[in-house]
Amino acid sequence: MKVILAEKPSVTREIAAIVGARTRHDGYMEGSGYQVTWAYGHLVELKEPEDYDPALKRWSLDVLPFIPERFELKVIQASSSRQQFNVIKRLFRSAEEIVCATDAGREGELIFRYILAMTGCEGKPFRRLWLNSLTPSTIREALRRMRAGSEYDRLYAAARCRSEADWIVGINGTRIRYVREKESPLKAASACR
């Protein structure tokens, strides 16, 4: 079975119609040798500081900056997200072939690779369905022109680098500002000008 992962349910429906996956299941469409599922966007994210060490839940200047030795991932906590992730995990693990059909670009690549990692399927080869439009003819052409997922490794590396850099700056900057505002609201406000 070929498993196609789109970023959103609406894209899943468009792709499923073209590949003949017309049978609805909980969290995916199936038919003609395909299972087409979706991610609701970001199903997987970088862990928060307190996920690495519960003591980091308390915001303090004493522990900043915090930069993990190795970034780790987690599934978003919303129950609908966890449920959909479990569907994807089951499909990926039994797939003969995985196809990435998340949005064309850096963020779509990141979404797919983070999910691939969390499902434990990083070692499985996959192909990339690069869609710039959702017309039936464009989807058919993109299906004919799929490329090996490894051809997008540099795009993923750029996306991951940006994600981790945003995390470092965002987490530490937010906490520093919050702690300083608590200590001295006037001093913090003037420092931000």
Side-chain angles (χ1 to χ4, degrees):
M1 190 73 67
K2 294 179 184 177
V3 176
I4 300 175
L5 176 68
E7 200 164 315
K8 305 170 203 71
S10 59
V11 178
T12 297
R13 286 190 296 274
E14 299 292 335
I15 294 170
I18 298 303
V19 299
R22 291 181 173 76
T23 304
R24 292 180 183 267
H25 294 279
D26 189 22
Y28 67 102
M29 306 283 291
E30 183 174 27
S32 301
Y34 287 92
Q35 294 170 321
V36 189
T37 188
W38 60 89
Y40 290 133
H42 290 270
L43 278 182
V44 175
E45 63 186 358
L46 295 173
K47 285 185 174 181
E48 297 291 325
E50 58 269 19
D51 295 324
Y52 295 96
D53 180 352
L56 295 172
K57 189 166 187 147
R58 183 177 162 275
W59 291 17
S60 165
L61 291 178
D62 298 336
V63 296
L64 297 176
F66 175 72
I67 303 171
E69 294 259 338
R70 191 178 134 266
F71 281 95
E72 296 177 15
L73 302 171
K74 69 178 184 177
V75 177
I76 291 177
Q77 295 303 308
S79 62
S80 60
S81 296
R82 286 197 152 290
Q83 184 177 358
Q84 186 61 21
F85 173 79
N86 288 331
V87 168
I88 295 167
K89 182 178 178 179
R90 181 174 47 82
L91 296 176
F92 273 18
R93 287 189 171 180
S94 64
E96 294 168 16
E97 180 180 2
I98 297 173
V99 176
C100 170
T102 50
D103 291 355
R106 187 174 64 187
E107 203 62 24
E109 194 68 24
L110 184 72
I111 288 169
F112 175 78
R113 300 288 185 110
Y114 277 2
I115 291 170
L116 192 66
M118 282 298 293
T119 61
C121 295
E122 277 182 305
K124 281 191 169 189
F126 67 91
R127 294 195 298 159
R128 184 65 154 102
L129 178 65
W130 193 267
L131 292 170
N132 291 315
S133 168
L134 291 175
T135 64
S137 62
T138 304
I139 295 170
R140 281 187 195 94
E141 180 61 23
L143 284 163
R144 281 192 292 275
R145 302 177 86 205
M146 285 192 293
R147 300 168 100 175
S150 60
E151 292 186 34
Y152 298 88
D153 285 350
R154 287 192 286 176
L155 181 64
Y156 167 59
R160 183 175 170 184
C161 184
R162 188 227 22 100
S163 175
E164 291 173 2
D166 284 355
W167 188 98
I168 291 167
V169 172
I171 291 291
N172 289 291
T174 299
R175 288 176 177 221
I176 288 169
R177 183 175 176 159
Y178 173 81
V179 171
R180 285 193 176 153
E181 283 179 356
K182 258 184 110 175
E183 290 174 355
S184 174
L186 293 176
K187 189 195 288 186
S190 66
C192 293
R193 290 184 189 160

